[in-house]
Amino acid sequence: DLRDKSAVQNFFSKYQDISGVIHFAASKAVGESVENPLLYYENNINSLVYLLQELQKKPEAHFIFSSSCTVYGQAEKMPITENAPIQVAMSPYGNTKQIGEEIITDVAKVTNINSIFIRYSVVEYSVDVKAYFLTCCNFTVFTNHLKSVFGLI
């Protein structure tokens, strides 16, 4: 359970050869986040901080963060690209993703953690709408940073 700091510490102590994390674990229901925001802040932010605290102890670490297209808020232009401006979050869930990206950015500046964000959207509407949204939003990745994190450039 990533919400349990001592469990995260024990896990990293037991598996000392971990050099990277792909972090997809988060609460993700927008409506529920509006109804119970503290649950989302506790789960999504605390678990992120606990992982980063352990990774910063490594000589080198890689971190891939599952973010969301929600960081773009109500997009001004479609399709959304990675150059679109970050907008005010429209839900506590979206805000946890924005805050998470800010935390990772701050930590990466002063530690050995190489990081990237994957911003994507999964829409469950009609087939036509879903196909359009997946085309414009799915896996908007900071491609150059991704390449540099994995030594491809």
Side-chain angles (χ1 to χ4, degrees):
D1 184 352
L2 291 175
R3 296 170 296 177
D4 181 345
K5 185 175 184 172
S6 63
V8 174
Q9 291 170 329
N10 291 337
F11 182 84
F12 275 84
S13 179
K14 183 176 180 179
Y15 300 100
Q16 294 184 11
D17 60 341
I18 293 172
S19 62
V21 170
I22 301 172
H23 183 39
F24 284 98
S27 298
K28 61 176 177 46
V30 171
E32 181 184 55
S33 78
V34 172
E35 294 171 5
N36 195 350
L38 289 178
L39 174 71
Y40 276 69
Y41 288 111
E42 177 184 35
N43 183 58
N44 294 0
I45 301 301
N46 290 354
S47 62
L48 171 64
V49 169
Y50 300 156
L51 284 171
L52 293 173
Q53 286 173 333
E54 294 306 308
L55 284 175
Q56 75 177 352
K57 297 175 186 176
K58 304 284 183 182
E60 182 179 32
H62 305 283
F63 191 76
I64 299 174
F65 180 63
S66 175
S67 189
S68 172
C69 275
T70 62
V71 300
Y72 299 118
Q74 189 65 39
E76 297 171 0
K77 181 179 168 188
M78 297 296 264
I80 298 170
T81 70
E82 63 191 54
N83 297 321
I86 303 299
Q87 303 285 341
V88 173
M90 299 181 73
S91 69
Y93 163 73
N95 201 30
T96 66
K97 292 302 183 176
Q98 289 179 346
I99 292 168
E101 287 188 13
E102 292 171 6
I103 290 169
I104 295 163
T105 299
D106 289 344
V107 170
K109 288 177 186 175
V110 297
T111 68
N112 56 337
I113 300 172
N114 298 304
S115 63
I116 62 164
F117 313 129
I118 300 175
R119 294 177 177 160
Y120 58 98
S121 177
V122 178
V123 179
E124 298 177 20
Y125 297 114
S126 72
V127 174
D128 292 337
V129 172
K130 185 173 183 178
Y132 176 71
F133 247 87
L134 291 177
T135 300
C136 73
C137 288
N138 208 13
F139 295 102
T140 300
V141 178
F142 296 116
T143 52
N144 287 336
H145 195 66
L146 174 65
K147 290 175 185 177
S148 69
V149 165
F150 290 101
L152 300 174
I153 57 173

